Amino acid sequence: MGASAQDSGFAFDWPDNPFAPTLSDALFVDTDEARFDKASRVFVDSMSGIGAELGDIASFPFRDPGTFAVFAVGVGALMLVDEPTTKAYQKTFIPVGERFNLPELADIDNLTIDAQYLALGVAGTYAYGLAANDERAQVAALLATKAVAYSYLTSHLILKTAFGRLRPVSDLDNPSRDRGGIFSSDPYDFFNSTGVHFDTEPYATAMPSFHFSMYFSTARVYSGVYDNYLIPYGIAAALALQSADGHNHWVSDMVAGALIGTGIGNVVLNNYEERRDGINISFTPIASSKGAGLGFQMTF
């Protein structure tokens, strides 16, 4: 008889639903804190733990090899059919995106229209949180800000440089229309990197899609804070559609970016909840005839 997987010492568990984790409502019980007290505490709670989060993102393939393997195999399988699926994407979605163009908010180099609207949404959430003394809104905005920063570091700076994949020509049915050698009709054209690029660089920066990492990490944070999937992912889809004509990507690039963003969002949410369960930090303004300052309090 053949040995079972359990007998051989190998066990595989299918990964949990990556979209399932949400923050407990108990984290957002009204504490009757003054606006400044709450804002300062929420800022410290939300923006701390950066080192631990970066470590969790970097070590994810080793901490959760089952999930990593499923996602990696899935993206690899998509790469095998990238040419026909990307052709279909170019014919189906890009024409819609060309007609769905949001007005530019500001003329800022290397800040695309979709990124401008995402930044406006996050900033608006935080402004509302401060004005209404709403802890949930402040947490959503601050954690989303971290998620975007981690997406930029992971997808844009590290992985794009490592893979060096050429972007597809804008019309795979007529590849001769694209000149200059920047784009390719070969979905397996990897390792052409010219180094780290902090700004937008079209050459050899296809995989993964940073914008999809940004959309999905932000949507994952908002869905986890508000326990609502329809609105965050609906907005992410709208931003992706709006920018469809401006970003040349293979389908596997976009899926990889979405999975990376989802993982980053989960790391940010999980670490925030662990910090809130363990340590509570707050600042209190102190004023007297001798001067003014801040009081620091930490509870375990």
Side-chain angles (χ1 to χ4, degrees), residues 21-68:
T22 58
L23 296 182
S24 170
D25 289 337
L27 297 176
F28 304 108
V29 174
D30 188 8
T31 57
D32 292 325
E33 294 170 280
R35 180 174 285 103
F36 181 85
D37 294 344
K38 179 178 288 186
S40 61
R41 174 181 60 78
V42 170
F43 184 86
V44 173
D45 288 343
S46 301
M47 301 306 287
S48 60
I50 292 176
E53 289 164 356
L54 289 175
D56 284 348
I57 292 170
S59 63
F60 170 73
F62 309 101
R63 291 186 299 104
D64 193 349
T67 300
F68 176 77

Side-chain angles (χ1 to χ4, degrees), residues 140-158:
L142 291 171
L143 295 186
T145 300
K146 293 173 77 175
V148 170
Y150 296 155
S151 296
Y152 176 78
L153 173 64
T154 304
S155 288
H156 186 81
L157 296 185
I158 297 175

Side-chain angles (χ1 to χ4, degrees), residues 77-99:
L78 282 174
M79 287 173 54
L80 297 177
V81 293
D82 253 335
E83 186 172 357
T85 55
T86 304
K87 283 182 180 179
Y89 170 79
Q90 291 178 341
K91 293 178 180 178
T92 305
F93 290 100
I94 290 182
V96 177
E98 289 174 344
R99 295 191 295 270

Side-chain angles (χ1 to χ4, degrees), residues 185-196:
S185 58
D186 179 6
Y188 310 115
D189 202 340
F190 283 84
F191 309 117
N192 302 284
S193 176
T194 57
V196 176

